[in-house]
Amino acid sequence: MFQNVTLFGVLAIAVGAIPGAVSRYYLTEFCKRSLGTNFPYGTFIINFTGCLLMGFFFTLFKGIKGFPPEIDLLVRTGFLGSYTTFSTYGYDTLTLWRNHKQGATIFYWVGSAILAVVGIIVGTNLAQLILGS
């Protein structure tokens, strides 16, 4: 069910997650101050750079024989996973496509975007219902 990850691997994920989340926060705030709030520039830039880095590091790490899996966990799962899960979404979409699962690719690609917005709407409505507003 789960990939065998050592305690060192779990620690690598945690160590990578902290700077990923902090980077996301500061880049978002920087973009708000520099570019304004009429468009979510920070999220837009983070999603692109996260996907760029996901593709780069995935290809690089697979191309280096004997590369320590803990470094992969630190960078891709820890840092990029907390920097943006959109990078994982992009990677999973590409993996489905490369595995010639075009129907699943389109369903995942479009369905994820639609369900994300539906989830926000439903979650917001549930919270408003609880709060009585």
Side-chain angles (χ1 to χ4, degrees), residues 61-126:
F61 294 163
K62 279 194 108 164
I64 299 173
K65 203 167 194 89
F67 197 85
E70 292 81 11
I71 300 297
D72 183 50
L73 290 170
L74 183 136
V75 173
R76 290 196 315 127
T77 304
F79 181 84
L80 291 174
S82 66
Y83 181 68
T84 173
T85 58
F86 195 79
S87 57
T88 303
Y89 163 72
Y91 171 75
D92 289 342
T93 302
L94 179 62
T95 299
L96 286 168
W97 185 262
R98 284 185 172 170
N99 289 328
H100 306 288
K101 298 178 180 178
Q102 281 70 24
T105 302
I106 292 167
F107 175 77
Y108 180 73
W109 180 52
V110 174
S112 293
I114 292 169
L115 287 177
V117 175
V118 169
I120 294 292
I121 292 167
V122 171
T124 300
N125 289 337
L126 285 172

Coordinates of all heavy atoms in Angstrom, one line a residue, residues 61-126:
F61 N 16.8 13.5 -11.2 CA 17.1 12.4 -10.2 C 16.9 11.0 -10.8 O 17.7 10.1 -10.5 CB 16.1 12.5 -9.0 CG 16.3 13.8 -8.2 CD1 15.3 14.2 -7.3 CD2 17.4 14.5 -8.2 CE1 15.4 15.3 -6.5 CE2 17.6 15.6 -7.5 CZ 16.6 16.0 -6.6
K62 N 16.0 10.9 -11.8 CA 15.9 9.6 -12.5 C 17.2 9.3 -13.4 O 17.5 8.2 -13.6 CB 14.7 9.5 -13.4 CG 13.4 9.2 -12.6 CD 12.3 8.9 -13.5 CE 12.1 7.4 -13.4 NZ 11.0 6.8 -13.9
G63 N 17.8 10.4 -13.8 CA 18.9 10.2 -14.7 C 20.3 10.0 -14.0 O 21.3 9.7 -14.7
I64 N 20.3 10.1 -12.7 CA 21.5 9.9 -12.0 C 21.4 8.5 -11.3 O 20.6 8.4 -10.3 CB 21.8 11.0 -10.9 CG1 21.9 12.4 -11.6 CG2 23.0 10.7 -10.1 CD1 22.0 13.6 -10.7
K65 N 22.3 7.6 -11.7 CA 22.2 6.3 -11.2 C 22.7 6.3 -9.7 O 23.6 6.9 -9.3 CB 23.2 5.4 -12.0 CG 22.8 3.9 -11.9 CD 23.6 3.1 -12.9 CE 23.1 1.8 -13.1 NZ 22.0 1.6 -14.0
G66 N 21.9 5.6 -8.9 CA 22.3 5.5 -7.4 C 21.9 6.8 -6.6 O 22.4 6.9 -5.5
F67 N 21.1 7.7 -7.2 CA 20.8 8.9 -6.5 C 20.0 8.5 -5.2 O 19.0 7.8 -5.3 CB 19.9 9.8 -7.4 CG 19.9 11.2 -6.9 CD1 20.9 12.1 -7.2 CD2 18.9 11.7 -6.1 CE1 20.9 13.4 -6.8 CE2 18.8 13.0 -5.6 CZ 19.9 13.8 -6.0
P68 N 20.3 9.1 -4.1 CA 19.7 8.8 -2.8 C 18.2 9.1 -2.8 O 17.8 10.3 -3.1 CB 20.4 9.6 -1.8 CG 21.6 10.1 -2.4 CD 21.4 10.1 -3.9
P69 N 17.3 8.2 -2.6 CA 15.9 8.4 -2.6 C 15.4 9.5 -1.6 O 14.5 10.2 -1.7 CB 15.2 7.1 -2.3 CG 16.3 6.3 -1.7 CD 17.6 6.8 -2.2
E70 N 16.2 9.6 -0.5 CA 15.9 10.6 0.5 C 16.0 12.1 0.0 O 15.2 12.9 0.4 CB 16.8 10.4 1.8 CG 16.5 9.2 2.6 CD 17.2 7.9 1.9 OE1 18.1 8.1 1.0 OE2 16.9 6.8 2.4
I71 N 16.9 12.3 -0.9 CA 17.0 13.6 -1.5 C 15.8 13.9 -2.4 O 15.2 15.0 -2.4 CB 18.3 13.7 -2.4 CG1 19.5 13.5 -1.5 CG2 18.4 15.1 -3.0 CD1 19.7 14.5 -0.4
D72 N 15.4 12.9 -3.1 CA 14.1 13.0 -3.9 C 12.9 13.3 -3.0 O 12.1 14.2 -3.3 CB 13.9 11.7 -4.7 CG 12.7 11.8 -5.6 OD1 12.6 12.8 -6.3 OD2 11.9 10.9 -5.5
L73 N 12.8 12.6 -1.9 CA 11.8 12.9 -0.9 C 11.8 14.3 -0.3 O 10.8 14.9 -0.2 CB 11.8 11.8 0.2 CG 11.4 10.4 -0.1 CD1 11.7 9.4 1.0 CD2 10.0 10.3 -0.5
L74 N 13.0 14.7 0.0 CA 13.2 16.1 0.5 C 12.8 17.1 -0.5 O 12.0 18.0 -0.2 CB 14.7 16.3 0.9 CG 15.0 17.6 1.5 CD1 15.9 17.4 2.7 CD2 15.7 18.6 0.5
V75 N 13.3 17.0 -1.7 CA 13.0 18.0 -2.7 C 11.6 17.9 -3.3 O 10.8 18.9 -3.3 CB 14.0 18.0 -3.9 CG1 13.7 18.9 -5.0 CG2 15.4 18.3 -3.3
R76 N 11.2 16.8 -3.9 CA 10.0 16.7 -4.6 C 8.8 16.6 -3.7 O 7.8 17.2 -3.8 CB 10.0 15.5 -5.6 CG 10.9 15.8 -6.8 CD 10.7 14.9 -8.0 NE 10.6 13.5 -7.7 CZ 9.6 12.8 -8.1 NH1 8.6 13.3 -8.8 NH2 9.5 11.5 -7.8
T77 N 8.9 15.7 -2.7 CA 7.7 15.5 -1.8 C 7.7 16.5 -0.7 O 6.6 17.1 -0.5 CB 7.8 14.1 -1.1 OG1 7.8 13.1 -2.2 CG2 6.5 13.8 -0.3
G78 N 8.8 16.8 -0.1 CA 8.8 17.8 1.0 C 8.7 19.2 0.5 O 7.7 19.9 0.8
F79 N 9.8 19.7 -0.2 CA 9.8 21.1 -0.6 C 8.7 21.4 -1.6 O 7.8 22.3 -1.3 CB 11.1 21.5 -1.2 CG 11.2 22.9 -1.6 CD1 11.5 23.9 -0.6 CD2 10.9 23.3 -2.9 CE1 11.5 25.2 -1.0 CE2 10.9 24.6 -3.2 CZ 11.2 25.6 -2.3
L80 N 8.7 20.7 -2.7 CA 7.7 21.0 -3.8 C 6.3 20.7 -3.3 O 5.3 21.3 -3.7 CB 8.1 20.4 -5.1 CG 9.3 20.9 -5.7 CD1 9.7 20.1 -6.9 CD2 9.2 22.4 -6.1
G81 N 6.1 19.6 -2.5 CA 4.8 19.2 -2.1 C 4.2 20.3 -1.2 O 3.0 20.5 -1.2
S82 N 5.0 21.0 -0.4 CA 4.4 22.1 0.4 C 4.5 23.4 -0.3 O 3.7 24.3 0.0 CB 5.2 22.2 1.8 OG 6.5 22.6 1.6
Y83 N 5.4 23.6 -1.2 CA 5.5 24.8 -2.0 C 4.2 24.9 -2.9 O 3.6 25.9 -3.0 CB 6.7 24.8 -2.9 CG 7.0 26.0 -3.8 CD1 7.3 27.2 -3.2 CD2 7.0 25.8 -5.2 CE1 7.5 28.3 -4.0 CE2 7.2 26.9 -6.0 CZ 7.5 28.1 -5.4 OH 7.8 29.2 -6.2
T84 N 3.8 23.8 -3.5 CA 2.6 23.7 -4.3 C 2.3 22.3 -4.6 O 3.1 21.6 -5.1 CB 2.7 24.5 -5.6 OG1 1.5 24.3 -6.4 CG2 3.9 24.1 -6.5
T85 N 1.0 21.9 -4.3 CA 0.6 20.5 -4.8 C 0.2 20.6 -6.2 O 0.0 19.5 -6.9 CB -0.6 20.0 -3.9 OG1 -1.7 20.9 -4.1 CG2 -0.2 19.8 -2.5
F86 N 0.1 21.8 -6.8 CA -0.2 21.9 -8.2 C 0.9 21.2 -9.1 O 0.7 20.7 -10.1 CB -0.3 23.3 -8.6 CG -1.0 23.6 -9.9 CD1 -2.3 23.5 -10.1 CD2 -0.2 23.9 -11.0 CE1 -2.9 23.7 -11.3 CE2 -0.8 24.1 -12.3 CZ -2.2 24.0 -12.4
S87 N 2.2 21.2 -8.6 CA 3.3 20.6 -9.3 C 3.0 19.1 -9.4 O 3.3 18.4 -10.4 CB 4.6 20.9 -8.6 OG 4.6 20.5 -7.3
T88 N 2.5 18.5 -8.3 CA 2.2 17.1 -8.3 C 1.0 16.8 -9.2 O 1.0 15.8 -10.0 CB 1.9 16.6 -6.9 OG1 3.0 16.9 -6.0 CG2 1.6 15.1 -6.8
Y89 N 0.1 17.7 -9.3 CA -1.1 17.6 -10.2 C -0.5 17.6 -11.6 O -0.9 16.7 -12.4 CB -2.0 18.7 -9.9 CG -3.0 19.0 -11.0 CD1 -4.1 18.2 -11.2 CD2 -2.9 20.2 -11.8 CE1 -5.1 18.5 -12.2 CE2 -3.9 20.5 -12.7 CZ -4.9 19.7 -12.9 OH -5.9 20.0 -13.9
G90 N 0.4 18.5 -11.9 CA 1.0 18.5 -13.3 C 1.7 17.2 -13.6 O 1.6 16.7 -14.7
Y91 N 2.5 16.8 -12.6 CA 3.3 15.5 -12.8 C 2.4 14.3 -13.0 O 2.6 13.5 -13.9 CB 4.2 15.3 -11.6 CG 4.9 14.0 -11.6 CD1 5.9 13.7 -12.5 CD2 4.4 13.0 -10.8 CE1 6.6 12.5 -12.5 CE2 5.0 11.7 -10.8 CZ 6.1 11.5 -11.6 OH 6.7 10.3 -11.7
D92 N 1.3 14.2 -12.2 CA 0.4 13.1 -12.3 C -0.3 13.1 -13.7 O -0.5 12.1 -14.3 CB -0.6 13.1 -11.2 CG 0.0 12.7 -9.8 OD1 1.1 12.1 -9.8 OD2 -0.7 13.0 -8.8
T93 N -0.7 14.3 -14.1 CA -1.3 14.4 -15.5 C -0.4 14.0 -16.6 O -0.8 13.2 -17.4 CB -1.7 15.9 -15.7 OG1 -2.6 16.3 -14.7 CG2 -2.4 16.1 -17.0
L94 N 0.9 14.4 -16.5 CA 1.9 14.0 -17.5 C 2.1 12.5 -17.5 O 2.2 11.8 -18.5 CB 3.2 14.7 -17.3 CG 4.3 14.3 -18.3 CD1 3.9 14.7 -19.7 CD2 5.6 15.1 -17.9
T95 N 2.2 11.9 -16.3 CA 2.4 10.5 -16.1 C 1.2 9.7 -16.7 O 1.5 8.7 -17.5 CB 2.5 10.1 -14.6 OG1 3.7 10.8 -14.1 CG2 2.7 8.6 -14.4
L96 N 0.0 10.1 -16.5 CA -1.1 9.4 -17.1 C -1.0 9.5 -18.7 O -1.3 8.5 -19.4 CB -2.5 10.1 -16.7 CG -2.9 9.7 -15.2 CD1 -4.1 10.6 -14.8 CD2 -3.3 8.3 -15.1
W97 N -0.7 10.7 -19.2 CA -0.6 10.9 -20.6 C 0.5 10.0 -21.2 O 0.3 9.4 -22.2 CB -0.3 12.4 -20.9 CG -0.3 12.7 -22.4 CD1 0.8 12.8 -23.2 CD2 -1.5 12.9 -23.2 NE1 0.4 13.0 -24.5 CE2 -1.0 13.1 -24.5 CE3 -2.8 12.9 -22.9 CZ2 -1.9 13.4 -25.5 CZ3 -3.7 13.2 -24.0 CH2 -3.2 13.4 -25.3
R98 N 1.7 10.0 -20.6 CA 2.8 9.2 -21.1 C 2.5 7.7 -21.0 O 3.1 6.9 -21.7 CB 4.0 9.5 -20.3 CG 4.7 10.8 -20.7 CD 6.0 11.0 -20.0 NE 6.6 12.2 -20.5 CZ 7.7 12.7 -19.9 NH1 8.2 12.2 -18.8 NH2 8.3 13.8 -20.4
N99 N 1.6 7.3 -20.1 CA 1.2 5.9 -20.0 C 0.0 5.6 -20.9 O -0.6 4.5 -20.8 CB 0.8 5.5 -18.6 CG 2.1 5.5 -17.7 OD1 3.1 5.1 -18.1 ND2 1.9 5.8 -16.4
H100 N -0.2 6.5 -21.9 CA -1.3 6.3 -22.9 C -2.7 6.1 -22.3 O -3.4 5.4 -22.9 CB -0.9 5.2 -23.9 CG 0.5 5.4 -24.4 ND1 0.8 6.3 -25.4 CD2 1.7 4.7 -24.1 CE1 2.1 6.2 -25.7 NE2 2.6 5.3 -24.9
K101 N -2.9 6.8 -21.3 CA -4.3 6.8 -20.6 C -4.9 8.1 -20.9 O -5.2 8.9 -19.9 CB -4.1 6.5 -19.1 CG -3.5 5.1 -18.9 CD -3.4 4.9 -17.4 CE -2.8 3.5 -17.1 NZ -2.6 3.2 -15.7
Q102 N -5.2 8.4 -22.1 CA -5.7 9.7 -22.5 C -7.1 10.1 -21.9 O -7.3 11.2 -21.4 CB -5.8 9.9 -24.1 CG -4.5 10.1 -24.7 CD -3.5 9.0 -24.7 OE1 -3.9 7.8 -24.6 NE2 -2.2 9.3 -24.8
G103 N -8.0 9.1 -21.8 CA -9.3 9.3 -21.1 C -9.1 9.7 -19.7 O -9.7 10.6 -19.2
A104 N -8.2 8.9 -19.0 CA -8.0 9.2 -17.6 C -7.3 10.5 -17.4 O -7.5 11.2 -16.4 CB -7.2 8.0 -17.0
T105 N -6.4 10.8 -18.3 CA -5.7 12.1 -18.3 C -6.6 13.3 -18.3 O -6.6 14.2 -17.5 CB -4.7 12.2 -19.5 OG1 -3.7 11.1 -19.4 CG2 -3.9 13.5 -19.4
I106 N -7.5 13.2 -19.3 CA -8.5 14.3 -19.5 C -9.4 14.4 -18.3 O -9.7 15.5 -17.7 CB -9.2 14.2 -20.8 CG1 -8.3 14.4 -21.9 CG2 -10.4 15.2 -20.9 CD1 -8.8 14.0 -23.3
F107 N -9.9 13.3 -17.8 CA -10.8 13.2 -16.6 C -10.1 13.8 -15.4 O -10.6 14.7 -14.7 CB -11.2 11.8 -16.3 CG -12.0 11.7 -15.1 CD1 -13.4 12.1 -15.0 CD2 -11.5 11.2 -13.9 CE1 -14.1 12.0 -13.9 CE2 -12.2 11.1 -12.7 CZ -13.5 11.5 -12.7
Y108 N -8.8 13.4 -15.2 CA -8.1 13.9 -14.0 C -7.8 15.4 -14.1 O -7.9 16.1 -13.2 CB -6.8 13.1 -13.9 CG -5.9 13.5 -12.7 CD1 -6.2 13.2 -11.4 CD2 -4.7 14.2 -12.9 CE1 -5.5 13.6 -10.3 CE2 -3.9 14.6 -11.9 CZ -4.3 14.3 -10.6 OH -3.5 14.7 -9.5
W109 N -7.3 15.8 -15.3 CA -6.9 17.2 -15.6 C -8.1 18.1 -15.4 O -8.0 19.1 -14.6 CB -6.4 17.3 -17.0 CG -5.9 18.6 -17.4 CD1 -5.0 19.4 -16.8 CD2 -6.2 19.3 -18.6 NE1 -4.8 20.6 -17.5 CE2 -5.6 20.5 -18.7 CE3 -7.1 18.9 -19.7 CZ2 -5.7 21.4 -19.7 CZ3 -7.2 19.8 -20.8 CH2 -6.5 21.0 -20.8
V110 N -9.2 17.8 -16.0 CA -10.4 18.7 -15.9 C -11.1 18.5 -14.6 O -11.5 19.4 -14.0 CB -11.3 18.5 -17.2 CG1 -12.6 19.2 -17.0 CG2 -10.6 18.8 -18.5
G111 N -11.3 17.2 -14.3 CA -12.0 16.9 -13.0 C -11.4 17.5 -11.8 O -12.1 18.0 -10.9
S112 N -10.1 17.5 -11.7 CA -9.4 18.1 -10.5 C -9.7 19.6 -10.4 O -9.9 20.1 -9.3 CB -7.9 17.8 -10.6 OG -7.6 16.5 -10.5
A113 N -9.6 20.3 -11.5 CA -9.8 21.7 -11.5 C -11.3 22.0 -11.1 O -11.5 22.9 -10.3 CB -9.5 22.3 -12.9
I114 N -12.2 21.3 -11.7 CA -13.6 21.5 -11.4 C -13.9 21.2 -10.0 O -14.6 21.9 -9.2 CB -14.5 20.7 -12.4 CG1 -14.4 21.3 -13.8 CG2 -16.0 20.7 -11.9 CD1 -15.0 20.5 -14.9
L115 N -13.5 20.0 -9.5 CA -13.8 19.5 -8.1 C -13.1 20.4 -7.1 O -13.6 20.6 -6.0 CB -13.4 18.1 -7.9 CG -14.3 17.1 -8.6 CD1 -13.7 15.7 -8.4 CD2 -15.7 17.2 -8.1
A116 N -11.9 21.0 -7.5 CA -11.3 22.0 -6.5 C -12.2 23.2 -6.3 O -12.4 23.6 -5.1 CB -10.0 22.4 -7.1
V117 N -12.8 23.7 -7.3 CA -13.7 24.9 -7.2 C -15.0 24.4 -6.4 O -15.4 25.1 -5.5 CB -14.0 25.5 -8.5 CG1 -15.0 26.6 -8.4 CG2 -12.7 26.1 -9.1
V118 N -15.5 23.3 -6.8 CA -16.7 22.8 -6.1 C -16.4 22.6 -4.7 O -17.2 22.9 -3.8 CB -17.2 21.5 -6.8 CG1 -18.3 20.8 -6.0 CG2 -17.7 21.8 -8.2
G119 N -15.3 22.0 -4.3 CA -14.9 21.8 -3.0 C -14.8 23.1 -2.2 O -15.3 23.2 -1.0
I120 N -14.2 24.1 -2.8 CA -14.2 25.4 -2.1 C -15.6 26.0 -1.8 O -15.9 26.4 -0.8 CB -13.4 26.4 -2.9 CG1 -11.9 26.0 -3.0 CG2 -13.5 27.9 -2.4 CD1 -11.1 26.1 -1.7
I121 N -16.4 25.8 -2.8 CA -17.8 26.3 -2.7 C -18.6 25.6 -1.6 O -19.2 26.2 -0.7 CB -18.6 26.3 -4.1 CG1 -18.0 27.3 -5.0 CG2 -20.1 26.5 -3.9 CD1 -18.4 27.1 -6.5
V122 N -18.5 24.3 -1.6 CA -19.2 23.4 -0.7 C -18.6 23.7 0.7 O -19.4 23.9 1.7 CB -19.1 21.9 -1.0 CG1 -19.6 21.1 0.1 CG2 -19.9 21.7 -2.3
G123 N -17.3 23.7 0.9 CA -16.7 24.0 2.1 C -17.1 25.3 2.7 O -17.4 25.5 3.9
T124 N -17.1 26.4 1.8 CA -17.5 27.7 2.3 C -18.9 27.7 2.7 O -19.3 28.2 3.8 CB -17.3 28.7 1.1 OG1 -16.0 28.7 0.7 CG2 -17.8 30.1 1.5
N125 N -19.8 27.0 2.0 CA -21.2 27.0 2.4 C -21.4 26.2 3.7 O -22.3 26.6 4.5 CB -22.1 26.4 1.2 CG -22.2 27.3 0.0 OD1 -22.0 28.5 0.1 ND2 -22.4 26.7 -1.1
L126 N -20.7 25.1 3.9 CA -20.9 24.4 5.1 C -20.4 25.2 6.3 O -21.1 25.2 7.3 CB -20.0 23.1 5.0 CG -20.6 22.0 4.2 CD1 -19.6 20.8 4.1 CD2 -21.9 21.4 4.8

